[in-house]
Amino acid sequence: MTTTYITTTIPYVNARPHLGFALELVQADVLARYRRSIGEQVRVQAGTDDNSLKNVLAAEAAGVGVQEFVDASAAAFTGLAEPLSLSVDDVIRTSSDPRHAAGVERLWQACAARGDLYRRHYEGLYCVGCEQFYTAAELTGGRCPDHGTVPDLVSEENWFFRLSRYAGQLRSLIAGGTIRIEPAGRRNEVLALIDGGLEDFSVSRSTQRARGWGIPVPGDPGQVIYVWWDALGNYLTALDYAGHGVSLNRWWTGASRRIHLLGKGVLRFHAVYWPAMLLSAGEAVPTDIVVHGYLTENGRKISKSSGATVDPYDLAGTYGTDAVRWWLLREVPRGADADFTVDRLVGRANDELANGLGNLLSRVVTMIHRYRGGHVPAATASAPDAAALHRAIRNAPGLIAGALEDFDFRRATEAVWQIADEANRYVNRTRPWDLARAGDHAQLDAVLTALLVACQAIGTHLAPFLPDAAARITRQCAPDGAGLLPSPAPLLARIAPRFAGG
Ligand SMILES: [Zn+2]
């Protein structure tokens, strides 16, 4: 039995979720739904990163307690499952889930037992927005390249992790493909980072600087575990790592695939720090690290800190879940950035979902009702001139499998779209209305049957990508016990551009 563990990153909850995070959730969901459909056991793990100093600062700004603040904010992230139609199996919240702190402590102790944790004095430039130290050379004019803020000069004695010890081992695991990083450009980036030399990194901070928020270092109550160590640990702690439970063996140690999805900004944490921590703790490393780019909105960066946000709740509420998922899957190139505009979302949904798919379904079901009283025809002849249509249907499973193995969601949806495109062409070419007028019943039955089979194939293959639309298509194309199709109903209506939130 193939078992696959798929994780999304756990976001800071200092502001509402944006569309860039929705992209990652939808990609994870598609992979999970597809793999379940071919018989694999799949677990999708999501969560929220509550133990960040950023959350403390945001709570202070809002004038509420930190736990109260993160509880309320986390709900906005976990609540995305409904408007985006996500099939998430488990959500871990790092501040409140009892599995988490205990698991992070075990991870710490495992690395300590290996001799990989030590104390030393440290001075560095810390960006709270990034929750990381920068060297002077990494700054732009003395400012964080991501946030444009001047980092804090921090001077304290901290715990360090002996990352340098794992450089050689990491390099060979990544170069040899045991840890696969996609796209390849990102793998090369990580290899260059390793070749540039890996320095030990600070994995704690003073409890005072953390304002008492976070997981204390075992045996050293004056120190709190670095938020990234804590956050990365969620991929194991959610599997009851602390309790040495069956979940750990099933979904991590014994899993066929351990797939992490993440944005390009956190590549170093996932492809360098995290596997090194796992090697130190004696645990299996991830099999796949899949990196997506950033979304911009009308050319501007979308981020929680930039102020410019596209709210996925508003989008799904205004344009529907199918339209939002379709845009994310159809328009965002593999591993690269993409620019979001409402016009593009509406255009894509109207061209392909309403005009392409919706129109096809409506034509086929309407013709079966008009010419055959809604009864699925029993074709006695082979469908004329149907080679291209048959080929699109026959090729779809292989094309989708190959594209999703490459984490290429555009190519995967293209294979489904090809069936609709060929089927629409087929209607125009065979002109069933002319066959009906001429009383050519055998040919008409053959054509209608070929078209219905195409629509049913679309319903099947679309399911991982647009589960809601696919379910409606499948119901519309399923004859009842008497061989009668449901009356044609509008499945994918045209939408008009309205700007969410004015
Ligand atoms: Zn920063």
Side-chain angles (χ1 to χ4, degrees):
M1 175 63 75
T2 304
T3 51
T4 302
Y5 182 52
I6 302 171
T7 69
T8 65
T9 52
I10 56 171
Y12 302 129
V13 294
N14 59 329
R16 282 181 64 82
H18 57 72
L19 193 62
F21 185 56
L23 170 70
E24 188 173 306
L25 291 171
V26 168
Q27 290 183 342
D29 184 62
V30 169
L31 293 174
R33 287 180 187 274
Y34 174 74
R35 288 174 170 274
R36 286 189 204 111
S37 79
I38 57 170
E40 293 186 12
Q41 297 282 309
V42 179
R43 174 178 172 122
V44 179
Q45 182 68 48
T48 58
D49 180 2
D50 299 345
N51 293 333
S52 154
L53 182 55
K54 288 208 281 197
N55 294 334
V56 179
L57 300 178
E60 281 178 4
V64 296
V66 187
Q67 189 67 54
E68 185 190 340
F69 176 83
V70 297
D71 286 350
S73 309
F77 284 85
T78 54
L80 278 173
E82 203 203 318
L84 295 176
S85 284
L86 305 174
S87 59
V88 175
D89 295 289
D90 185 42
V91 174
I92 187 162
R93 296 205 33 226
T94 60
S95 70
S96 56
D97 197 307
R99 294 171 296 178
H100 186 67
V104 168
E105 279 167 26
R106 183 185 164 200
L107 189 60
W108 182 279
Q109 273 152 351
C111 296
R114 204 63 177 282
D116 286 334
L117 296 174
Y118 63 95
R119 275 188 84 129
R120 80 168 161 90
H121 182 77
Y122 189 73
E123 254 186 34
L125 298 162
Y126 195 80
C127 173
V128 177
C130 298
E131 296 277 18
Q132 73 172 94
F133 281 106
Y134 280 100
T135 63
E138 288 169 326
L139 299 175
T140 312
R143 290 169 181 273
C144 167
D146 234 33
H147 293 91
T149 50
V150 178
D152 301 328
L153 178 65
V154 170
S155 169
E156 61 189 22
E157 184 161 308
N158 287 336
W159 287 90
F160 274 72
F161 174 72
R162 231 178 272 284
L163 178 65
S164 51
R165 186 178 183 179
Y166 295 97
Q169 214 178 335
L170 267 182
R171 195 186 199 294
S172 64
L173 286 170
I174 293 167
T178 304
I179 301 174
R180 177 184 171 207
I181 302 175
E182 293 289 348
R186 298 295 173 198
R187 182 196 61 214
N188 297 339
E189 197 181 313
V190 173
L191 290 174
L193 202 66
I194 296 172
D195 292 342
L198 295 183
E199 287 183 24
D200 298 350
F201 69 102
S202 159
V203 291
S204 74
R205 63 166 86 99
S206 74
T207 305
Q208 188 192 5
R209 188 159 68 85
R211 322 244 174 148
W213 184 248
I215 300 173
V217 168
D220 188 353
Q223 293 270 309
V224 171
I225 295 176
Y226 176 42
V227 66
W228 264 105
W229 176 287
D230 162 340
L232 290 164
N234 97 89
Y235 302 131
L236 285 192
T237 64
L239 303 175
D240 195 18
Y241 176 63
H244 302 252
V246 289
S247 289
L248 182 73
N249 189 50
R250 180 170 180 206
W251 297 110
W252 190 267
T253 321
S256 320
R257 300 281 282 272
R258 296 172 288 275
I259 304 174
H260 294 316
L261 266 57
L262 46 127
K264 62 183 180 181
V266 294
L267 177 61
R268 174 201 302 230
F269 297 99
H270 284 82
V272 179
Y273 293 4
W274 174 234
M277 289 159 62
L278 290 165
L279 289 171
S280 171
E283 299 296 336
V285 292
T287 58
D288 300 82
I289 292 175
V290 184
V291 186
H292 61 79
Y294 286 155
L295 297 184
T296 53
E297 180 194 3
N298 298 306
R300 287 176 310 159
K301 183 183 173 191
I302 304 175
S303 83
K304 284 176 292 191
S305 49
S306 72
T309 65
V310 175
D311 190 321
Y313 285 95
D314 286 349
L315 277 187
T318 307
Y319 303 107
T321 303
D322 293 324
V324 175
R325 285 180 67 117
W326 195 242
W327 185 84
L328 291 169
L329 296 167
R330 285 293 277 160
E331 293 233 345
V332 179
R334 174 176 183 267
D337 298 345
D339 188 45
F340 173 85
T341 69
V342 164
D343 283 345
R344 285 192 190 120
L345 177 140
V346 169
R348 186 58 88 160
N350 282 341
D351 286 352
E352 295 187 344
L353 298 184
N355 296 350
L357 271 176
N359 197 30
L360 170 72
L361 263 295
S362 152
R363 287 163 102 184
V364 171
V365 176
T366 301
M367 287 191 290
I368 290 173
H369 275 272
R370 180 173 304 153
Y371 303 132
R372 289 294 175 262
H375 285 277
V376 173
T380 50
S382 65
D385 197 16
L389 179 58
H390 289 327
R391 199 179 315 117
I393 296 172
R394 203 170 48 239
N395 289 347
L399 291 173
I400 294 168
L404 290 184
E405 188 49 45
D406 288 343
F407 307 102
D408 190 335
F409 299 91
R410 283 212 300 193
R411 223 170 79 216
T413 47
E414 185 62 27
V416 187
W417 172 246
Q418 276 305 317
I419 303 176
D421 204 30
E422 285 299 342
N424 271 320
R425 263 194 258 267
Y426 190 65
V427 174
N428 297 339
R429 211 163 52 229
T430 55
R431 304 175 65 82
W433 48 91
D434 285 346
L435 297 173
R437 203 174 299 125
D440 194 344
H441 296 296
Q443 291 280 288
L444 179 61
D445 282 349
V447 166
L448 292 179
T449 301
L451 287 168
L452 184 64
V453 166
C455 291
Q456 288 165 337
I458 291 168
T460 301
H461 296 309
L462 194 63
F465 308 98
L466 299 185
D468 301 353
R472 296 196 299 276
I473 292 169
T474 297
R475 273 197 303 275
Q476 176 74 80
C477 296
D480 65 13
L484 200 66
L485 283 188
S487 302
L491 297 181
L492 292 152
R494 282 185 68 83
I495 53 180
R498 271 166 301 170
F499 288 85

